Amino acid sequence: MDRTSRNRPAWSLACEGCGRTHTAFAAFRGCPDCAREGRTCVMQVEGALPLAPAPGAPTLGEGGTPLVRAPRIAARLGVGELFFKLEGANPTGSYKDRYVAATLAAVLPFGVDRIVVSSTGNLGVSVAAYAAAAGMRCLFLAASGLPRAALVQAQAHGALVAMTDAQRRNVLFEHAALERGWFPVGLRMPRRVSNPFGVEGYRAIAIEVAAALGRAPDAMLFPCARGNGLFGAWRGFSAMPGPRPRMVACQPADANSIEASLRAGVEMPLELPPSTSIAFSTRESQADPMALRAIRESGGTAASVDDAAILAAQDELARSGIFVEHSCALPLACLPGLLARGALRRDETIVCVLTASGVRWAEQMPDFPAVPEIAPTPAALDAFLAAAGAG
Ligand SMILES: [Zn+2]
């Protein structure tokens, strides 16, 4: 291998607007041709980023997460083949680790040494951890209201962390990226600053699920904010031979950009007013157009539910041993409605992707009774059990 081919990546970038391909870096600024004509267009990776970590790229062992059954939930719903993909088993507790690992593998050969992220929690913590693994500097612009556990973990990894207005943090993110030279590990979306690489990491979710089942499922339910995860997994399924699943976006009732846009029949997702849903990580006002396109290509659909349904689903998962943050309960919360309207059938193989653990979200959980302190005596334990009706 000569020096030229070693330095040239095996992928290029295609503009989703004009279709022209680019090999130049600065991919996060979108398509330069469209920018000259006053349009903001996102780039998409052509060719394939390697799924295995590139030599020298940081990995913390992301991916390879469990696909499990929850028999009592399946029995209640009357769905025989119901599976949960436990993305909380990733190194920092969420599927964002796949996104961040893929991003850093793509940009490290270009000498990037400092990265900025704007996040409602999981992405920020993941970027902080992988920056630490790679020896890079990390600036984390956290949405106000983010749980302390996320801030502390990011600080422990050595990130510079600042909290700011959840609705307007993008201004600071773009400033850091465009004016201050921080590489933006942001989301994939039609904005001035976008990340075309991260979604490639989500292709592995499709590959892992198909390998575990021996074939693609009939339907794949994702909690969706922008829909980056759903889109990335669909790219994985699209590259496989044979039947593909219907992709189903599950959203909070007041942040249902995908559902509302499918209903309206539009290509550019509708922008909604700010959400107040308890599902913090999915409080996004506007989805990615590629998520919409993926759902339509797959013959899929979208659904939304209110906070009460989200809390009930989260509780049911927890009582089956699966502890997730509120937004990750969306697929289970949406399942009964999808079955009722015939969007899913009870004889189908259904996979719910549970994108993150609930561990860092304890402050957002429902109020449980205070844990009592009891004396270290058998009598005190007997009294405690009797009071709980568990004697
Ligand atoms: Zn273009």
Side-chain angles (χ1 to χ4, degrees):
M1 184 188 287
D2 65 26
R3 180 175 297 171
T4 317
S5 64
R6 189 166 62 239
N7 290 342
R8 190 185 301 142
W11 43 267
S12 60
L13 295 156
C15 171
E16 283 172 7
C18 68
R20 276 171 280 204
T21 59
H22 300 268
T23 49
F25 186 53
F28 65 88
R29 292 170 189 265
C31 174
D33 295 329
C34 288
R36 274 192 293 276
E37 292 156 24
R39 291 195 308 272
T40 302
C41 286
V42 181
M43 313 278 267
Q44 202 174 119
V45 174
E46 278 199 340
L49 288 179
L51 282 171
T59 176
L60 295 168
E62 60 284 345
T65 55
L67 184 73
V68 302
R69 293 173 185 268
R72 277 176 290 123
I73 297 176
R76 178 181 70 81
L77 292 166
V79 177
E81 298 293 311
L82 177 63
F83 296 87
F84 296 93
K85 180 76 168 156
L86 304 186
E87 289 292 296
N90 276 298
T92 75
S94 90
Y95 75 142
K96 301 287 187 181
D97 291 342
R98 301 178 185 267
Y99 189 92
V100 176
T103 302
L104 295 194
V107 305
L108 274 175
F110 295 94
V112 169
D113 64 354
R114 51 190 193 153
I115 51 184
V116 60
V117 61
S118 164
S119 166
T120 54
N122 294 326
L123 179 60
V125 171
S126 183
V127 170
Y130 281 79
M136 305 165 97
R137 296 202 72 190
C138 172
L139 169 60
F140 175 10
L141 302 168
S144 295
L146 208 139
R148 183 173 142 72
L151 301 173
V152 168
Q153 186 178 352
Q155 288 177 310
H157 290 312
L160 273 172
V161 187
M163 269 204 287
T164 189
D165 185 295
Q167 303 303 327
R168 290 180 293 177
R169 59 201 155 93
N170 204 45
V171 173
L172 305 189
F173 180 63
E174 290 188 357
H175 179 75
L178 297 172
E179 309 295 335
R180 291 287 172 267
W182 292 78
F183 181 83
V185 187
L187 294 178
R188 216 207 81 89
M189 55 180 161
R191 291 265 175 92
R192 287 210 300 159
V193 169
S194 178
N195 174 359
F197 304 113
V199 291
E200 299 301 307
Y202 293 147
R203 288 184 296 145
I205 297 175
I207 294 165
E208 290 169 20
V209 166
L213 295 175
R215 65 180 185 87
D218 298 303
M220 189 96 169
L221 277 59
F222 257 93
C224 287
R226 305 256 174 211
N228 277 193
L230 181 151
F231 170 59
W234 176 244
R235 276 173 73 77
F237 284 120
S238 298
M240 290 179 199
R244 296 161 186 166
R246 307 193 300 286
M247 305 300 283
V248 181
C250 302
Q251 302 189 291
D254 72 347
N256 65 337
S257 172
I258 294 177
E259 183 185 42
S261 304
L262 286 174
R263 212 174 271 155
V266 293
E267 283 193 22
M268 180 54 69
L270 302 176
E271 187 161 5
L272 307 177
S275 163
T276 58
S277 170
I278 193 166
F280 201 76
S281 302
T282 41
R283 275 187 197 174
E284 291 283 359
S285 53
Q286 189 178 26
D288 178 356
M290 295 310 287
L292 264 188
R293 197 185 292 181
I295 291 167
R296 288 183 171 129
E297 270 178 31
S298 74
T301 187
S304 68
V305 285
D306 63 15
D307 281 357
I310 292 169
L311 283 167
Q314 189 210 22
D315 182 62
E316 185 174 28
L317 284 165
R319 287 171 186 280
S320 295
I322 301 170
F323 190 49
V324 296
E325 64 167 276
H326 295 315
S327 46
C328 305
L330 280 163
L332 178 58
C334 289
L335 245 171
L338 289 160
L339 289 166
R341 67 173 156 102
L344 300 175
R345 292 198 323 268
R346 289 189 162 74
D347 61 349
E348 291 186 305
T349 301
I350 299 169
V351 172
C352 296
V353 182
L354 307 184
T355 46
S357 159
V359 168
R360 71 173 60 103
W361 301 88
E363 296 156 46
Q364 268 82 3
M365 296 295 164
D367 285 334
F368 288 96
V371 174
E373 173 104 24
I374 62 171
T377 62
L381 181 60
D382 286 344
F384 172 73
L385 289 171

